[in-house]
Amino acid sequence: MAPTPRQIPADLRDAARRIGEGIERRLEAERDQLPLWLPVMLGLGVALWFVLPDPAAWRAVAWIGLAVGLGALALWRGGRGWLAVALGGMLVTAGVTLAWSRAGRVAAPVLRAPMILRFDAGVERIEPLPARGLVRLTLRPTGPGLVASGGRRPLPPRLRINLAEADVPAGLAVAARLRLRARLLPPPEAAVPGAYDYARAAWFTGIGATGRGFAPVEILLPGRTAPPLRAALTGHIVRQLPGSEGGIAAALVTGDMGAIGQEDSEAMRTAGLAHLLSVSGLHITAVVGATMLLVLRLLALVPWLALRVRLPLVAGGAGAAAAIFYTWLTGAEVPTIRSCVAALLVLAALALGRRAMTLRLVAGGAMLVLLLWPEALVGPSFQLSFAAIVAIVALHDHPALRRFAEPREKARIGRLGRHLVLLLATGIAVEAALMGIAVYHFHKAGLYGALANIVAIPLTTFLIMPLELLALLLDAIGLGGPAWWLTGQAIGLLLGGARFVASLPGATAAWPSMPSGAFALMIAGGLWLALWRTRWRRWGVAPLLAGALWAWSTPPPDLIVSGDGRHAAVRLADGRVAMLRDRTGDYMRDLLATNAGVAEPDLLSDEGGARCNADLCMADAGQGAARLRVLMVRSAYHPPKAALVAACARVDVVVADRWLPSACRPAWLRLDPSTLSATGGVAIGAGAGRVVTVRRIGDRHPWIRPMLPLRRAAWRAGTRRPHP
């Protein structure tokens, strides 16, 4: 069956041969970079499992990847091209299988409907949130719950409950057994398209319900007499430094950010300094470096050891132990684990006399995280941490920057200037790498983060963390007061800088939801630029710019409706965004504003172009001839049926959080519980006739309810707008 040479024209054979030889030459020149693409292809398989909707698509991708891999192996006659294709196809299959099996292994029952009940449960984790006046408990029920009617209801194996600080009983501790009453809800999915999907995160942590507990809370069996080390250390630090200063100090040591005020936390995010609060590479590096320096200096005081033992190896071992202990102490989050693995690999490379900081080290850490927690790939923490470290290493691995950074004899002012230039270049590279990810997940982009980090990173690394360590050590003999005062002053400088940067004009820019395709193009282009070394790395500029242009040119939605129908935001004719309800919580207000691409929304009832009364609002969404007339229910009372039906007939879209009469028939779309229960939150672009929903038809991921085809009565084609 193989074609004979005469069946293929000679010019095509020559062209194919030249193309193959060209690819082989390029891959040979990049042979040291090829292993870096192994975690990329594994991550591609994981990402495809999260993006594609159902088992049929997952199986198709897995079989296609396997077929490509086996086919490439069959064609392999030496060289690197076909071998790279074979490994890539098989790793895509492995990624899909890995994510699918992980979702099945962690499967646990999930609450299906809200309910209020009384139950007994064991305390698994206690997280104080003093900035919000709450304590978050992770509980394991010991039996079914009892509803008010006396019936019993089965409960998921793990719950997350918030308690007001005043309702927390004295003596509450881990491993205690409680009896309490709580209102439980299923883990909430994204409220609107582009928002954070907590239901997905809860599925992989085994949390089947969330809710709010009520007093009285009764302790049936006491727990541990002493709190865990992390909780005890957090409590001690917060007692020494009240307010956000104590919250930041606790975050640097234990990773617990519950005591940081919301305004200060937002200022840190706006200034591009939020990464300082999440324990990652900076903190692990500081701990390892301080431990190695201390151990090395102490052991060098003993001449017998200094002459007979390789003290750098001993200090490296102490640094590795400190990194592992610090990772455990801070809760072993994904960025901390990645940084700990990287630190251990660096120490191992130093012990072997090899170059320590390379992209292969980063690739090894990524492979480890993906093999253990493939779901981390779709979270912002994994993406931000790895994008930052890849940008830093790739930048400093560039020949031009390496030549600039080489130590040479210069005056002290020259060395200081070179270090400042390197720090500024690193900050700009990191900001550029993180901007697209931040816009995709948080719909915000900071503009002064690189400049702020030039001051904040040295301040945190060389002043705040050493002072805090000194204060903790002096507390052992009761002399930590002055050191804590100095620590508070240093953290005050950090907070003051964050507040100043956040208050500058244009400190942050709000962006509407970015299409996933644009985000994928930007990630692909960034990886191509970072992971190759020869001139063809420049090809990555094309998808990077294409993705950025796609994201920039995507019009913001003109109408956003939350999944429960209670909250909505409308883009008015002048471009401003107005909220439906005057009393909207800060979280929902910020969520609707950022997804609409504005920093601060207005109130619909204050706008002259909208007609509102206590029960209803009517407004035009969008600009120009493509505007949609929208009618929205805004109170808990039912308006008169005749007036409501007449108003429905004059509009294109109706939004309501309760069942509407069947006679309410808008010209285009009715977003009431019958529709929203199937779609989830909805975002509508009036100009493009584009409707984006939280749920997709046929989506079979285990943490969401499937979106069924809608009833024809809910989606009515009209003369004003085409069917979506």
Side-chain angles (χ1 to χ4, degrees):
M1 298 298 292
T4 63
R6 292 183 180 179
Q7 289 179 281
I8 302 176
D11 55 347
L12 292 181
R13 292 202 309 270
D14 292 341
R17 178 177 54 80
R18 287 194 299 269
I19 292 174
E21 290 174 353
I23 293 175
E24 285 294 338
R25 285 194 299 270
R26 289 189 180 275
L27 294 179
E28 178 64 25
E30 297 274 13
R31 58 187 179 275
D32 292 337
Q33 306 302 113
L34 290 176
L36 304 180
W37 290 92
L38 298 179
V40 174
M41 300 311 294
L42 183 67
L44 176 60
V46 173
L48 287 174
W49 185 85
F50 280 95
V51 170
L52 296 175
D54 54 37
W58 307 335
R59 283 191 292 268
V61 170
W63 283 113
I64 290 172
L66 185 60
V68 169
L70 294 177
L73 280 179
L75 296 172
W76 181 44
R77 298 294 184 269
R80 303 180 187 276
W82 286 116
L83 182 59
V85 172
L87 289 176
M90 292 182 178
L91 283 171
V92 168
T93 297
V96 173
T97 306
L98 192 65
W100 196 351
S101 62
R102 169 73 173 166
R105 289 197 310 272
V106 300
V110 176
L111 195 70
R112 290 301 178 187
M115 60 180 65
I116 298 177
L117 35 67
R118 183 177 297 276
F119 59 94
D120 298 348
V123 179
E124 186 177 273
R125 187 175 181 182
I126 303 174
E127 300 174 77
L129 304 174
R132 298 167 54 188
L134 299 173
V135 174
R136 179 174 293 159
L137 304 179
T138 302
L139 305 177
R140 286 193 173 273
T142 57
L146 187 66
V147 297
S149 61
R152 294 182 176 273
R153 299 288 186 273
L155 291 174
R158 180 179 288 177
L159 313 174
R160 177 169 289 178
I161 302 295
N162 287 337
L163 279 177
E165 286 183 337
D167 297 338
V168 176
L172 178 65
V174 173
R177 185 176 174 186
L178 305 180
R179 176 170 294 165
L180 73 161
R181 191 170 64 94
R183 183 176 186 266
L184 299 180
L185 303 167
E189 63 184 7
V192 297
Y196 177 65
D197 188 357
Y198 179 72
R200 183 180 65 197
W203 178 268
F204 287 99
T205 56
I207 294 175
T210 63
R212 182 70 179 257
F214 309 115
V217 179
E218 181 183 356
I219 298 180
L220 303 179
L221 291 175
R224 300 172 185 169
T225 55
L229 178 60
R230 184 188 186 198
L233 195 55
T234 298
H236 174 77
I237 294 172
V238 171
R239 287 192 295 271
Q240 302 301 318
L241 291 175
S244 293
E245 286 81 0
I248 292 177
L252 294 175
V253 175
T254 67
D256 191 337
M257 296 184 283
I260 304 175
Q262 293 185 5
E263 292 184 0
D264 291 326
S265 180
E266 181 63 28
M268 294 288 286
R269 283 194 295 270
T270 302
L273 305 179
H275 65 95
L276 298 176
L277 306 179
S278 175
V279 177
S280 56
L282 174 69
H283 310 79
I284 294 288
T285 302
V287 169
V288 171
T291 302
M292 291 182 64
L293 180 64
L294 182 62
V295 171
L296 195 61
R297 291 291 185 263
L298 290 177
L299 294 182
L301 297 176
V302 183
W304 186 88
L305 287 175
L307 295 174
R308 292 171 175 81
V309 179
R310 291 186 62 187
L311 295 186
L313 284 180
V314 178
I324 294 172
F325 173 76
Y326 188 47
T327 301
W328 168 80
L329 178 65
T330 55
E333 302 292 341
V334 170
T336 318
I337 293 173
R338 188 267 307 162
S339 303
C340 180
V341 171
L344 297 179
L345 291 176
V346 167
L347 294 173
L350 292 175
L352 296 173
R354 302 287 299 275
R355 185 183 172 194
M357 202 60 189
T358 66
L359 284 174
R360 288 198 178 193
L361 181 148
V362 180
M367 285 290 287
L368 179 62
V369 173
L370 289 176
L371 289 173
L372 295 178
W373 303 282
E375 70 275 8
L377 176 75
V378 296
S381 177
F382 178 96
Q383 296 171 14
L384 291 169
S385 60
F386 275 98
I389 192 64
V390 166
I392 292 171
V393 177
L395 175 69
H396 286 264
D397 208 28
H398 194 279
L401 198 68
R402 275 193 293 179
R403 287 193 298 269
F404 178 79
E406 286 176 355
R408 45 189 174 269
E409 294 299 328
K410 267 192 176 182
R412 181 175 300 177
I413 188 67
R415 293 197 303 270
L416 179 61
R418 187 169 69 249
H419 291 320
L420 288 177
V421 170
L422 290 173
L423 189 59
L424 178 61
T426 302
I428 293 174
V430 170
E431 286 296 319
L434 301 186
M435 184 171 293
I437 301 173
V439 169
Y440 181 73
H441 288 285
F442 309 119
H443 315 294
K444 290 182 179 180
L447 303 180
Y448 307 124
L451 296 175
N453 277 283
I454 290 178
V455 177
I457 290 177
L459 178 64
T460 303
T461 306
F462 301 115
L463 185 61
I464 295 176
M465 293 187 70
L467 281 175
E468 188 170 1
L469 177 61
L470 177 63
L472 290 172
L473 293 175
L474 291 177
D475 276 347
I477 56 176
L479 299 177
W484 281 118
W485 183 84
L486 291 174
T487 303
Q489 297 302 308
I491 296 177
L493 288 176
L494 178 67
L495 272 176
R499 293 165 184 155
F500 171 74
V501 172
S503 65
L504 293 175
T508 182
W511 290 74
S513 298
M514 181 191 301
S516 297
F519 181 62
L521 283 174
M522 295 170 68
I523 293 294
L527 288 172
W528 192 273
L529 280 170
L531 300 188
W532 295 127
R533 285 292 171 266
T534 57
R535 286 183 298 177
W536 75 339
R537 70 188 302 181
R538 301 170 186 171
W539 295 1
V541 174
L544 185 61
L545 291 180
L549 182 62
W550 185 0
W552 178 77
S553 61
T554 300
D558 298 306
L559 174 64
I560 304 177
V561 181
S562 63
D564 57 6
R566 286 183 51 81
H567 303 283
V570 178
R571 185 173 303 278
L572 304 173
D574 58 3
R576 289 179 300 135
V577 174
M579 307 283 295
L580 169 63
R581 295 179 182 267
D582 297 345
R583 300 180 61 183
T584 302
D586 292 339
Y587 171 76
M588 185 58 66
R589 181 184 180 88
D590 293 342
L591 183 65
L592 292 175
T594 54
N595 278 272
V598 298
E600 186 64 30
D602 299 310
L603 295 178
L604 197 58
S605 57
D606 294 339
E607 298 301 322
R611 289 178 290 171
C612 296
N613 58 30
D615 299 318
L616 301 172
C617 263
M618 184 180 294
D620 289 337
Q623 300 172 327
R627 286 181 296 174
L628 292 173
R629 179 150 294 180
V630 185
L631 176 68
M632 293 166 283
V633 177
R634 67 194 304 258
S635 77
Y637 301 97
H638 290 277
K641 181 178 178 179
L644 177 61
V645 170
C648 290
R650 300 196 303 269
V651 299
D652 302 301
V653 180
V654 174
V655 177
D657 61 347
R658 82 279 308 275
W659 295 93
L660 297 175
S662 59
C664 176
R665 297 181 179 179
W668 183 38
L669 185 63
R670 191 171 76 173
L671 295 175
D672 63 353
S674 64
T675 302
L676 294 172
S677 62
T679 64
V682 176
I684 299 175
R690 181 168 175 258
V691 179
V692 180
T693 59
V694 169
R695 301 181 194 149
R696 297 175 296 168
I697 294 177
D699 198 330
R700 299 280 300 279
H701 287 98
W703 56 85
I704 66 172
R705 290 174 293 174
M707 176 177 169
L708 303 176
L710 300 176
R711 296 181 307 179
R712 186 169 299 178
W715 295 68
R716 297 182 56 86
T719 56
R720 300 193 184 192
R721 302 294 311 153
H723 197 283

